[in-house]
Amino acid sequence: MGEIAQGLERALRTRPIPSSTEARLRFLLVAHQGSTRRIATVLGVSQRTVQRWVTKKPGARRPPGPPQAQAIEEAVLARWQPRIQARLRAQAEAEGFVFHTRARFGFAAPAGSSDDPRVRWITQYLPGEVARELFAARDAGAGEQQQMVILARALGHAYFRDGGRRGHGLHIAFTDVEFADFSIG
């Protein structure tokens, strides 16, 4: 998962997911009304394996391995705070968001301009249309590169061309993202 996708995920969560594998399994048990069969189906393991992970008997308990722990984390992330995520997404699509980044920006501009790429810190408000396009691309399975193109176009218009008031014909190259954070609301 790239920096932009991670930034979007952080913006849509108000609390961190449970940190230990045991706590994540407890969350999945609550989410699936205590059914180890449903959890096993979601994780692609047997029901007996899930029962061994969650048992309270010390001798019978077996911790999940690294691939299973990763699957547990992904299952928790998919079910973590769905109503809050939906509310924040709707708010970002309606009102816009603030994008914070440190990345390398370069330009394709007329002769005589300073078009060499350089690292910049940028904090910029972007409108709801950008949020809608970004979320639609993420939902369609767009990669980090496609999301960077969307943000480069939006930053080019809002930050570098000042909403269309200057820098006509300036095309932005947005690369080497060190971090990307989103503030919603």
Side-chain angles (χ1 to χ4, degrees):
M1 185 182 295
E3 290 295 323
I4 294 171
Q6 288 177 357
L8 276 174
E9 289 300 317
R10 282 191 304 268
L12 294 176
R13 285 195 299 264
T14 58
R15 292 185 329 204
I17 66 168
S19 58
S20 70
T21 304
E22 292 79 22
R24 291 174 181 169
L25 283 168
R26 283 193 304 271
F27 170 78
L28 288 176
L29 275 170
V30 170
H32 292 284
Q33 291 92 28
S35 172
T36 55
R37 178 174 289 159
R38 288 188 203 154
I39 296 172
T41 303
V42 167
L43 298 176
V45 296
S46 71
Q47 182 179 2
R48 182 68 188 122
T49 300
V50 174
Q51 290 169 345
R52 279 194 293 267
W53 291 342
V54 299
T55 187
K56 298 199 186 315
K57 296 178 188 174
R61 176 170 242 161
R62 300 280 189 267
Q68 290 84 17
Q70 180 66 30
I72 291 168
E73 180 180 5
E74 290 171 5
V76 169
L77 279 173
R79 289 159 182 80
W80 190 250
Q81 298 182 319
R83 291 188 307 239
I84 292 172
Q85 287 186 23
R87 181 178 49 83
L88 288 172
R89 179 179 175 160
Q91 184 177 359
E93 290 176 351
E95 301 171 7
F97 61 93
V98 177
F99 181 56
H100 313 272
T101 189
R102 179 178 163 93
R104 184 171 304 280
F105 290 91
F107 311 101
S113 67
S114 61
D115 58 354
D116 290 336
R118 60 182 177 259
V119 175
R120 294 176 185 246
W121 288 84
I122 293 181
T123 297
Q124 179 65 43
Y125 166 79
L126 296 173
E129 296 85 43
V130 176
R132 279 191 290 281
E133 189 177 357
L134 202 56
F135 283 122
R138 185 188 73 158
D139 293 346
E144 187 81 1
Q145 193 64 33
Q146 292 169 314
Q147 293 174 349
M148 286 174 62
V149 167
I150 293 167
L151 288 170
R153 188 172 52 244
L155 285 172
H157 180 73
Y159 182 83
F160 293 102
R161 290 190 296 270
D162 195 21
R165 290 188 283 275
R166 61 185 171 92
H168 303 288
L170 186 67
H171 299 286
I172 309 303
F174 179 40
T175 58
D176 301 336
V177 178
E178 292 179 20
F179 77 89
D181 279 327
F182 299 81
S183 297
I184 301 171

